[in-house]
Amino acid sequence: MFSYKPHKGFLMTVPDVIFLFFFIISYSSAVHYGLNPSRSEFKWICSNGKTRCTRVEADYPSTETFSSVELCRLACGDASALWPQPYHISIKNRGLIVINPEAIAIRTNPTFENVMSRDVIEVFKDNLRKEYNNCLSHMETKLILNINWSSNISILDWNTDESYHLEVKTQSETAVQININGKNIFGVRHALETLSQLMTSYPENDNSTCLALLRSVLIDDKPIYSHRGLLLDSSRNYLSIATIKKHIEAMAASKMNFLHWHITDSHSFPMETPSIPNMTVYGAYSRSKTYKYRDIKNLIYYGLVRGVRIILELDAPSHAGYGWQWGPEAGLGNLTVCLNQQPWRQACIQPPCGQLNPANQNVYDVLEKIYRDMVGLMPWSRIFHMGGDEVFIPCWNNTEEIVKYISGRGRSTQVFYDLWGEFQEEALKRYDKAVGNKNSKIIIWTSQLTDPFYISRYFNKDRYVIQTWVPDTDNLPEILLQKGFNLIISTKNAWYLDHGFWGTTKYYDWRTVYENQILLDPGVLGGEVCMWGEYVDDNGVIGRTWPRAAAAAERLWSNPMSSSKEVEGRFYRHRERLITRGIAADAVIPRWCYYNEGQC
């Protein structure tokens, strides 16, 4: 801002007059172009066939204008401001009604009401609180929210019915009724998330904001894929519980339902195992960088209330180093081999090296105890991730103990594959023993053993789910489907969100993530976006992951035919929603583009 100080006296010099003239012109120009924060010079209209919000001057000659792009987005487009796009939505009335959220009356079915259902509703209320402040008026508008579900099932797996029905009916200027029906609490939770997205802030004055609600909407919704996941890796770099909770909140806002927690690796073993305290004593980066047993259990419940199930991964036999080195001291021999071997390129894919020792039977006893502890964390243990990728054959081939163990069988690649298969077979037996049944589904990564030539030799299609991490040009998923395996797909050249920050990898923007279409086949359970942890920690992992992961969320929920260009207004709005909820999602466009849809 210019600062003008005239000469003493009442008369101005010619330079003073010229300066004042240009000051007035400059200030007027600043006001005209919206740079004056004291008042808004813009409004928005729903244009382009009622699909896009366009910014116009405040004096635009129309009664159908909105004071913010958020209000416009709520009333504009086939899917309103919703992310992900619902399976079916019918907007009966695009008008908005202002409500005081403090006046919402919530009625539930007492038959199935419990602690979890009350917590689900409290999360919904908390999300609304972040959208308004000190709402004083519109108390006369009665908003009745009827919530009903027909089962007390609290198990979230690939067979859970997550569908819901939602109807908003504005009966008069002072009466709004909302009906939600779901098969279970998870469908209800999704409906409440959708309902929260059908509302946005409505400023009454400088000190008060209420909520605006779309007047009449009918939604029947369900996901296309049953597995809509995000992988987090907290072994390479420790992630705090608070950070993991933020990811869960972002997943809930985006209707993602499986958090794949890669909790251990050769770098560290931060997961507390009560039966074997040595795992964290020898494996955690420090005492403060461990996951306490009770904290993991609480986090699992925190996720469930938000419609997110945590799947723990104990990677083996590769990616196992620190945390396992106490064997000789305890009289159990070498539990791991090639630990921190140098030069590392001769013993592993990535430093520090480390692989479990299949020649030492004590390894399986330790694994069984760890499995038992992990099963105790989970309310159900029918799904577990065993890792199982990137076994480095030269490590075993150069370990005297292992070479002696396979003596007489030779040292061909096939022999080492068979050894790897033996490890997997025994590990599965120990997991089944820990669980107490043989019905669990075991997820493993694609590897040499899942090559179509070998896979049926080592894996039972009725027990194992294969997580593929090949590029979209690779036909491996199609071949594995033909062999009868169920799949989770993590497209390496679109859904690996750590790419672009190391080596020759390429960064995948949200449009690339969104437009990656995976196979639509009964054998494809769904997909996962992956944020591996080599180059992220608490300081950057949220922004690296979000909002890009949300782009995959819509692909996995409704798999629309729309291009990223057609959905960008809703996507940008969803990023703002995440910000409002305290999730530091990274910027994906200049602010100007957010205010001017379709022009970037």
Side-chain angles (χ1 to χ4, degrees):
M1 181 65 67
F2 290 107
S3 177
Y4 174 70
K5 183 178 181 180
H7 291 275
K8 293 181 179 180
F10 295 98
L11 296 177
M12 293 185 183
T13 64
V14 172
D16 288 335
V17 173
I18 294 173
F19 181 87
L20 185 59
F21 172 77
F22 281 106
F23 169 77
I24 293 171
I25 294 298
S26 299
Y27 182 77
S28 299
S29 178
V31 170
H32 177 73
Y33 286 103
L35 301 180
N36 180 10
S38 65
R39 62 192 181 98
S40 173
E41 291 295 317
F42 296 102
K43 291 186 178 179
W44 281 261
I45 60 169
C46 190
S47 63
N48 195 40
K50 300 294 185 182
T51 62
R52 178 182 299 162
C53 289
T54 300
R55 190 165 69 165
V56 296
E57 300 290 339
D59 58 357
Y60 186 81
S62 173
T63 57
E64 297 182 355
T65 60
F66 301 89
S67 60
S68 72
V69 67
E70 290 82 12
L71 288 167
C72 177
R73 171 47 53 202
L74 192 59
C76 200
D78 293 338
S80 182
L82 301 180
W83 195 274
Q85 174 182 312
Y87 182 79
H88 173 77
I89 178 172
S90 175
I91 302 177
K92 306 290 187 179
N93 186 334
R94 292 185 179 275
L96 305 179
I97 185 169
V98 180
I99 63 170
N100 188 327
E102 298 293 342
I104 298 177
I106 299 178
R107 300 170 179 171
T108 61
N109 183 345
T111 305
F112 301 115
E113 186 176 335
N114 54 32
V115 173
M116 184 174 173
S117 66
R118 290 193 290 270
D119 288 343
V120 166
I121 292 171
E122 189 56 41
V123 170
F124 163 72
K125 291 179 179 178
D126 187 55
N127 286 335
L128 291 189
R129 291 186 192 107
K130 294 169 184 174
E131 293 281 349
Y132 71 92
N133 178 53
N134 195 32
C135 183
L136 301 175
S137 63
H138 302 284
M139 293 294 289
E140 69 279 3
T141 301
K142 296 179 180 179
L143 195 153
I144 306 298
L145 172 55
N146 299 306
I147 304 175
N148 184 56
W149 60 101
S150 54
S151 169
N152 61 358
I153 291 174
S154 59
I155 295 176
L156 179 58
D157 59 25
W158 298 318
N159 297 313
T160 303
D161 188 339
E162 299 175 82
S163 65
Y164 66 88
H165 173 86
L166 168 65
E167 184 177 20
V168 178
K169 295 189 296 184
T170 299
Q171 298 167 323
S172 69
E173 292 306 307
T174 58
V176 180
Q177 181 169 303
I178 301 173
N179 298 315
I180 285 176
N181 289 283
K183 299 291 186 182
N184 51 61
I185 194 60
F186 299 109
V188 166
R189 192 225 70 87
H190 293 323
L192 289 172
E193 174 59 42
T194 297
L195 178 58
S196 72
Q197 295 185 16
L198 290 173
M199 305 181 196
T200 197
S201 297
Y202 182 87
E204 291 201 307
N205 53 56
D206 291 341
N207 300 313
S208 173
T209 56
C210 295
L211 291 180
L213 169 68
L214 210 53
R215 282 179 175 265
S216 182
V217 188
L218 183 64
I219 296 174
D220 283 298
D221 203 5
K222 62 182 180 179
I224 297 293
Y225 295 99
S226 59
H227 188 105
R228 306 176 303 281
L230 166 68
L231 175 142
L232 287 181
D233 168 12
S234 63
S235 171
R236 274 64 179 241
N237 282 302
Y238 180 83
L239 300 176
S240 67
I241 292 291
T243 292
I244 297 173
K245 284 183 175 180
K246 288 297 181 185
H247 282 284
I248 290 173
E249 290 163 15
M251 292 177 71
S254 310
K255 296 191 177 74
M256 301 177 84
N257 64 345
F258 282 93
L259 176 59
H260 173 179
W261 191 356
H262 187 85
I263 196 170
T264 68
D265 209 287
S266 59
H267 306 73
S268 72
F269 197 109
M271 177 183 63
E272 182 181 80
T273 50
S275 299
I276 312 178
N278 274 347
M279 300 308 296
T280 52
V281 170
Y282 284 78
Y285 285 130
S286 68
R287 288 184 179 180
S288 64
K289 289 181 168 54
T290 61
Y291 299 107
K292 303 298 183 185
Y293 197 76
R294 65 179 180 276
D295 291 339
I296 299 175
K297 199 161 191 172
N298 290 338
L299 190 64
I300 288 172
Y301 179 74
Y302 187 89
L304 280 180
V305 168
R306 290 156 180 81
V308 177
R309 175 173 178 172
I310 294 177
I311 296 179
L312 295 171
E313 177 187 351
L314 182 69
D315 207 350
S318 189
H319 295 283
Y322 282 91
W324 293 88
Q325 67 269 42
W326 51 272
E329 182 181 330
L332 299 181
N334 293 317
L335 302 174
T336 187
V337 296
C338 306
L339 179 62
N340 205 24
Q341 184 170 315
Q342 293 291 344
W344 64 267
R345 290 186 183 277
Q346 297 179 12
C348 62
I349 301 294
Q350 176 190 70
C353 297
Q355 292 183 177
L356 294 184
N357 181 2
N360 184 350
Q361 295 304 301
N362 292 321
V363 166
Y364 302 109
D365 294 334
V366 175
L367 273 175
E368 185 179 330
K369 291 180 180 179
I370 296 174
Y371 290 151
R372 200 175 300 278
D373 284 344
M374 296 176 80
V375 167
L377 287 168
M378 299 177 280
W380 347 271
S381 47
R382 297 292 179 87
I383 303 174
F384 186 69
H385 205 305
M386 285 191 174
D389 67 325
E390 295 187 325
V391 168
F392 203 72
I393 299 300
C395 165
W396 283 350
N397 197 18
N398 288 295
T399 300
E400 183 178 351
E401 184 179 351
I402 294 176
V403 171
K404 184 178 179 180
Y405 178 76
I406 61 173
S407 177
R409 287 190 267 176
R411 294 169 68 176
S412 67
T413 299
Q414 183 62 64
V415 168
F416 284 103
Y417 284 179
D418 288 343
L419 179 62
W420 184 356
E422 288 174 21
F423 170 88
Q424 187 59 45
E425 182 179 5
E426 185 61 27
L428 180 61
K429 288 180 181 178
R430 297 305 184 102
Y431 184 81
D432 288 345
K433 186 177 179 182
V435 174
N437 63 61
K438 298 181 179 180
N439 300 318
S440 301
K441 291 290 188 179
I442 305 299
I443 308 172
I444 57 164
W445 293 103
T446 48
S447 66
Q448 297 97 315
L449 292 195
T450 63
D451 182 283
F453 183 77
Y454 295 109
I455 189 167
S456 297
R457 177 172 181 167
Y458 300 113
F459 300 107
N460 181 342
K461 61 183 174 57
D462 295 326
R463 289 298 308 275
Y464 285 95
V465 172
I466 312 300
Q467 184 165 3
T468 65
W469 55 292
V470 295
D472 61 347
T473 54
D474 197 310
N475 66 347
L476 177 63
E478 289 94 331
I479 297 174
L480 295 182
L481 286 171
Q482 291 171 6
K483 289 184 173 292
F485 285 91
N486 288 329
L487 305 183
I488 296 168
I489 296 179
S490 296
T491 310
K492 191 175 183 179
N493 61 334
W495 285 359
Y496 264 43
L497 304 183
D498 62 303
H499 281 197
F501 300 97
W502 57 274
T504 59
T505 58
K506 179 182 177 181
Y507 178 87
Y508 310 121
D509 63 16
W510 79 268
R511 296 182 187 277
T512 301
V513 174
Y514 185 84
E515 291 174 359
N516 177 54
Q517 291 184 290
I518 64 174
L519 294 168
L520 192 58
D521 183 280
V524 177
L525 301 175
E528 280 184 6
V529 286
C530 302
M531 177 49 77
W532 295 102
E534 287 90 343
Y535 302 96
V536 288
D537 58 15
D538 277 352
N539 298 297
V541 66
I542 299 291
R544 291 272 182 93
T545 308
W546 302 97
R548 287 189 295 159
E554 177 155 298
R555 176 62 53 209
L556 292 167
W557 180 271
S558 50
N559 197 32
M561 298 301 294
S562 313
S563 68
S564 61
K565 187 67 177 176
E566 295 172 278
V567 306
E568 61 184 18
R570 285 190 299 108
F571 183 75
Y572 300 154
R573 174 67 186 95
H574 189 59
R575 186 258 176 178
E576 297 300 310
R577 180 179 296 118
L578 296 177
I579 295 293
T580 299
R581 296 188 185 182
I583 299 153
D586 206 0
V588 292
I589 47 163
R591 192 68 181 177
W592 187 90
C593 299
Y594 176 66
Y595 288 141
N596 295 271
E597 286 185 15
Q599 298 187 44
C600 295

